[in-house]
Amino acid sequence: MPTDASPTARALRAIEILRNRPGVTAGELAAGLGVTERAARRYVGILREAGIPVESARGPHGGYRLGRRTRLPPIVFTEPEALGLVMAVLDGRPAATDVHDLVGAALGKVIGALPENVGRQAAVLREHASAVPDRHPARPDPATTGALVAAVAARRRVLVAYRAESGDEWEAEVDPWAVVVRHGRWYLLCHSHRSDAVRTYRVDRVRDVRQTVHGFEPPAGLDPVAAVEENLGTGWEFPTRVVFHAPPAEVAPWVRPPMGRLAPLGEGCVLVGSTSNPAMYAQEWLAAVPFAFRVEGGPELRAAVAGVASRFAAALRP
């Protein structure tokens, strides 16, 4: 910090250090504030007097940290931090340019709370930036997501109402093991008592969540991300197998997770999975992949691809 920084500025800087580096030692705090260790401890005392709980632990692994549930004073952003935050929000949710959007309203509050010199640039960026809408929007309802996360934390079985991409709807009693975000999509990893199998459901397709009185224990050593990767594109009634004449690294960006698992095969790769809607798989997913491929199975997908090919061929007849 500048040597002429005010005590207030140093106190705010101390909060920032404690928030970003739990367990910071008195020496490290002093170095961050540009003061002696004795002065650093004095700033810790000032924060405690102001009602901000700063916990301390002795020993080789001790240090200072903010107490749980600490209510902090307004967070201070630098101009690059504020602009980076606005860019990240718009990149992940193009609709946030609209003040009536849920995230857009929250972003507006953040911008409005920024200091004038920082907030001005952030507001201009938000007002004049344009983002291309996601062709496959999949943003779940915050209340639904919160209910699932709460059930995961409490280890309580839930009854979910679900609508598949095909339009079919059903209810299932599931043990919610984890909520996982993968490439902008939110998934519920669970054990379905309806099918007595591990299932991965899109959270944006969950219509209702009701917590039951039954508890559960997740599998020992569960890796939620790995389990989601393994279960996406599996467990549906129609098997699929597609061979691409291109390396996996080139094909992977065009493969949506529910299409199955991509693996190397010779000089190309193979996509193995399953689907409940072969027609949609053929005309919306496979048709968008810009590489030569061969459909080896199953018969339902081969028939769906043949139908798409026939329709396109008919469009070229005189």
Side-chain angles (χ1 to χ4, degrees), residues 9-293:
R10 281 203 168 90
L12 292 174
R13 173 61 177 161
I15 293 174
E16 185 177 355
I17 294 173
L18 292 168
R19 182 176 63 244
N20 294 331
R21 299 174 59 188
V24 64
T25 65
E28 293 168 338
L29 181 60
L33 297 177
V35 297
T36 64
E37 288 192 23
R38 182 177 179 181
R41 293 190 181 93
R42 188 163 60 247
Y43 278 109
V44 169
I46 291 173
L47 295 179
R48 287 169 172 165
E49 289 177 3
I52 298 175
V54 180
E55 300 173 351
S56 59
R58 298 182 180 276
H61 302 290
Y64 295 110
R65 67 185 67 243
L66 291 175
R68 292 177 62 83
R69 302 182 182 274
T70 301
R71 297 187 62 182
L72 299 177
I75 299 173
V76 179
F77 292 101
T78 65
E79 185 171 303
E81 289 173 342
L83 297 181
L85 177 62
V86 174
M87 292 171 65
V89 172
L90 295 182
D91 181 60
R93 188 183 181 95
T97 54
D98 185 355
V99 295
H100 299 293
D101 176 74
L102 181 66
V103 175
L107 180 62
K109 293 178 181 179
V110 172
I111 293 175
L114 295 173
E116 176 65 23
N117 62 324
V118 176
R120 186 187 310 112
Q121 281 294 95
V124 169
L125 173 62
R126 190 252 187 114
E127 180 179 355
H128 295 284
S130 299
V132 178
D134 189 351
R135 291 180 56 207
H136 307 286
R139 295 180 179 88
D141 175 63
T144 299
T145 308
L148 290 173
V149 171
V152 171
R155 296 187 175 182
R156 288 285 184 178
R157 189 179 301 174
V158 294
L159 186 66
V160 297
Y162 193 77
R163 179 183 297 166
E165 190 161 8
S166 63
D168 295 336
E169 297 188 14
W170 67 81
E171 284 193 346
E173 194 171 18
V174 305
D175 296 341
W177 291 348
V179 173
V180 177
V181 185
R182 182 187 186 279
H183 301 314
R185 301 288 188 263
W186 292 69
Y187 297 95
L188 170 66
L189 176 68
C190 62
H191 177 269
S192 170
H193 293 272
R194 178 175 181 265
S195 56
D196 191 23
V198 178
R199 287 290 182 260
T200 302
Y201 295 136
R202 284 262 296 269
V203 176
D204 58 294
R205 294 183 186 145
V206 175
R207 301 304 175 190
D208 185 47
V209 179
R210 283 174 284 167
Q211 196 171 129
T212 73
V213 297
H214 303 293
F216 70 90
E217 286 294 327
L222 175 68
D223 183 337
V225 175
V228 166
E229 293 281 353
E230 182 178 348
N231 283 278
L232 282 173
T234 63
W236 303 107
E237 56 264 48
F238 303 119
T240 60
R241 179 181 173 88
V242 183
V243 175
F244 292 95
H245 306 299
E250 295 182 14
V251 177
W254 298 90
V255 173
R256 299 178 63 185
M259 294 173 71
R261 186 184 304 175
L262 196 65
L265 181 67
E267 296 182 357
C269 55
V270 60
L271 179 64
V272 179
S274 62
T275 181
S276 62
N277 191 337
M280 179 273 300
Y281 194 109
Q283 64 190 17
E284 293 186 21
W285 291 353
L286 277 184
V289 181
F291 300 103
F293 60 85

